[in-house]
């Protein structure tokens, strides 16, 4: 029996992916320093799946800590989520972002190499497509031209891992470019629990609905879109989690670098999201139109053809499912994990 190491497995996407991996029969070890998550998420992964999950509260930029994990467990593949992810914060503290997001991948890959583990699935982001205007984005769309340090760290990590494969073709690297992950597990036990004021649309929306925040700011209503608000490709986090199960299988089977978009392939405007949320939850969402947010593009959505053909994976859940599940999580955990 072998283990999958999930770095950042206590976080939002990591916790849902651990559930999907455990339900698919994989054995999971988590390394997460809890810098942006709570141990309670790990307890809830255990309670949803009834499985044993080994947890290490380690900083994965530290090779000595990583060594302990690779010595104790027969790791066959790493799913690497750990890192910092707030765009605005990355502009204010670029060095912290470059340090954590690059050093984590470098330390991890060095320890993996020492232990002969050459399979890794990496969390990248649609943000690597930068301000490129032509949608839908396919994996061949130009990348770079990034607009903030966070995005550059994703772009640089893709480069680092591609160079590792170039140096040793026995490596298997699967790079996943997520679009906009939202929603929660249907149990309502795990979900997105941002620290402080949410940066993203869905957690802001659910916190307005639960009465923690007064009204939703809509950043721009003068985009060249059907109703003037920004268009994004929202993907249910459990669809995304299941995409990782397919990616792990692919990673274990193949060699080289494979890159896939994980999105729904559909674009929804901010107004469409608000209306879908109001319908799914029977709550009215007060909002205020604000100026555009710096760095935002008018529309971003994925071409999902490559993932469908090669990973045999497609998102299944609807925008209504995303709203219902996000709301169930928020309503049953108004203060998050506490
Ligand atoms: P998250 O912050 O909820 O999860 C990241 C986890 O990594 C956290 O639990 C945090 O405690 C942990 N972590 C951070 N630094 C660490 C370190 N040095 N050592 C060990 N653990 C560390 O974020 P998420 O939304 O679940 O995102 C997961 C990954 O997916 C990130 O790499 C993020 O950049 C990427 N991504 C996220 C989105 C999104 O919209 N959520 C979109 C595209 C890509
Ligand atoms: C969605 C839409 C906003 C909040 C970000 C990162 C990206 C990726 C995912 C990690 C936009 C509008 C938002 C609000 C609003 N993360 N909005 N009011 O900007 O597409 O992507 O998260 O890789 O890198 O940039 O997501 O949820 O912030 O915004 O009107 O309070 O909602 O302008 O049109 P975004 P988002």
């Amino acid at each position: 029996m072998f283990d999958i190491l999930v770095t950042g497995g206590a976080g939002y996407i990591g916790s849902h992916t651990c559930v999907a991996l455990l339900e698919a029969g994989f054995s999971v070890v988590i390394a997460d320093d809890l810098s942006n998550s709570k141990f309670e998420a790990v307890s809830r992964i255990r309670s949803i799946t009834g499985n044993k999950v080994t947890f290490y509260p380690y900083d994965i930029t530290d090779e000595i800590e990583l060594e302990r994990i690779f010595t104790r467990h027969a790791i066959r593949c790493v799913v690497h989520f750990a890192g910092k992810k707030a765009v605005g914060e990355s502009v204010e503290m670029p060095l912290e972002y470059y340090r954590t997001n690059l050093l984590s991948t470098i330390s991890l890959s060095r320890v993996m190499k020492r232990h002969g583990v050459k399979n890794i699935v990496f969390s990248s982001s649609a943000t690597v497509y930068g301000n490129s205007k032509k949608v839908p984005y396919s994996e061949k769309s130009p990348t770079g031209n990034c607009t903030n340090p966070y995005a550059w760290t994703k772009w640089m990590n893709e480069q680092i891992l591609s160079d590792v494969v170039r140096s040793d073709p026995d490596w298997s690297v699967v790079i996943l470019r997520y679009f906009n992950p939202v929603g929660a597990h249907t149990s309502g036990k795990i979900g997105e629990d941002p620290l402080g004021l949410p940066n993203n649309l869905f957690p802001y929306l659910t916190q307005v609905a639960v009465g923690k925040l007064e009204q939703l700011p809509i950043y721009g209503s003068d985009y060249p879109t059907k109703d003037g608000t920004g268009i994004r490709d929202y993907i249910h986090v459990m669809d995304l989690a299941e995409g990782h199960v397919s990616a792990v299988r692919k990673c274990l089977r193949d060699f080289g670098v494979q890159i896939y978009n994980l999105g729904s392939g559909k674009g929804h405007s901010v107004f469409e999201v608000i209306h879908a949320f109001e319908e799914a939850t029977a709550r009215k969402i007060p909002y205020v139109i604000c100026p555009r947010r710096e760095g935002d593009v008018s529309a971003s959505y994925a071409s999902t053809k490559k993932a469908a053909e090669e990973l045999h994976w497609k998102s299944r859940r609807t925008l209504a499912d995303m709203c219902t599940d996000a709301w169930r999580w928020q309503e049953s955990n108004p203060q998050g994990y506490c």
Side-chain angles (χ1 to χ4, degrees):
M1 184 63 175
F2 63 85
D3 291 319
I4 308 284
L5 173 62
V6 181
T7 75
Y12 172 46
I13 306 171
S15 56
H16 290 80
T17 300
C18 286
V19 168
L21 285 167
L22 289 161
E23 281 173 350
F26 289 102
S27 168
V28 168
V29 172
I30 296 176
D32 194 310
D33 67 357
L34 303 179
S35 52
N36 197 37
S37 52
K38 308 253 170 59
F39 178 74
E40 179 62 19
V42 179
S43 304
R44 297 202 187 175
I45 295 169
R46 288 174 177 153
S47 95
I48 291 169
T49 60
N51 283 83
K52 193 177 132 287
V53 180
T54 311
F55 174 75
Y56 293 94
Y58 290 172
D59 175 350
I60 64 147
T61 61
D62 184 337
E63 291 189 28
I64 296 168
E65 301 214 308
L66 284 172
E67 273 293 341
R68 276 190 219 126
I69 300 178
F70 281 81
T71 306
R72 279 186 204 156
H73 297 270
I75 307 290
R76 271 278 298 283
C77 182
V78 177
V79 185
H80 178 28
F81 292 104
K84 293 180 169 290
K85 64 158 183 179
V87 170
E89 188 182 62
S90 80
V91 176
E92 283 155 28
M93 34 198 289
L95 293 176
E96 280 310 305
Y97 271 69
Y98 285 114
R99 199 195 83 83
T100 303
N101 290 6
L102 299 185
L103 197 53
S104 57
T105 304
I106 294 168
S107 302
L108 190 58
S109 308
R110 279 166 54 86
V111 176
M112 287 173 68
K113 187 176 168 195
R114 284 204 286 277
H115 289 263
V117 181
K118 299 184 178 182
N119 301 311
I120 182 165
V121 175
F122 175 66
S123 297
S124 190
S125 166
T127 194
V128 299
Y129 295 119
N131 51 15
S132 155
K133 298 226 161 31
K134 205 163 158 270
V135 283
Y137 296 130
S138 91
E139 291 79 354
K140 290 198 172 122
S141 296
T143 61
N145 264 325
C146 296
T147 53
N148 57 78
Y150 165 73
W152 279 119
T153 67
K154 290 296 171 191
W155 188 87
M156 289 175 190
N157 269 312
E158 291 195 3
Q159 184 65 41
I160 291 169
L161 290 170
S162 303
D163 285 341
V164 169
V165 171
R166 224 163 275 133
S167 74
D168 177 355
D170 284 348
W171 277 76
S172 174
V173 173
V174 178
I175 290 170
L176 301 176
R177 294 179 180 156
Y178 315 151
F179 279 68
N180 291 62
V182 300
H185 189 263
T186 45
S187 64
K189 288 185 176 171
I190 54 174
E192 188 168 12
D193 182 19
L195 292 173
L197 195 67
N199 298 307
N200 299 113
L201 179 62
F202 260 75
Y204 211 113
L205 193 57
T206 57
Q207 290 195 17
V208 170
V210 84
K212 269 176 90 176
L213 296 168
E214 210 176 305
Q215 56 186 1
L216 175 76
I218 295 184
Y219 298 132
S221 60
D222 57 351
Y223 283 107
T225 58
K226 50 193 159 187
D227 59 25
T229 63
I231 289 191
R232 294 293 183 274
D233 183 334
Y234 298 95
I235 173 168
H236 195 294
V237 67
M238 282 312 297
D239 278 330
L240 191 68
E242 288 159 14
H244 285 74
V245 175
S246 304
V248 165
R249 292 201 173 110
K250 174 89 176 160
C251 189
L252 291 171
R253 238 186 357 250
D254 274 8
F255 296 102
V257 185
Q258 322 289 336
I259 302 181
Y260 300 103
N261 286 339
L262 294 189
S264 71
K266 295 182 196 86
H268 291 290
S269 73
V270 177
F271 276 132
E272 281 175 342
V273 171
I274 295 174
H275 294 147
F277 190 85
E278 289 182 334
E279 207 155 289
T281 64
R283 304 240 146 191
K284 198 87 201 122
I285 301 296
Y287 64 80
V288 57
I289 305 287
C290 300
R292 291 181 180 194
R293 189 172 61 176
E294 206 187 313
D296 272 358
V297 293
S298 67
S300 162
Y301 52 94
S303 159
T304 55
K305 198 163 165 266
K306 191 174 174 209
E309 283 172 6
E310 296 182 18
L311 294 180
H312 312 295
W313 167 89
K314 258 187 172 171
S315 72
R316 300 183 282 126
R317 294 158 177 93
T318 62
L319 183 60
D321 296 330
M322 301 177 211
C323 294
T324 308
D325 292 340
W327 177 235
R328 187 180 299 108
W329 152 255
Q330 182 73 75
E331 203 180 16
S332 20
N333 304 271
Q335 305 305 328
Y337 286 115
C338 294

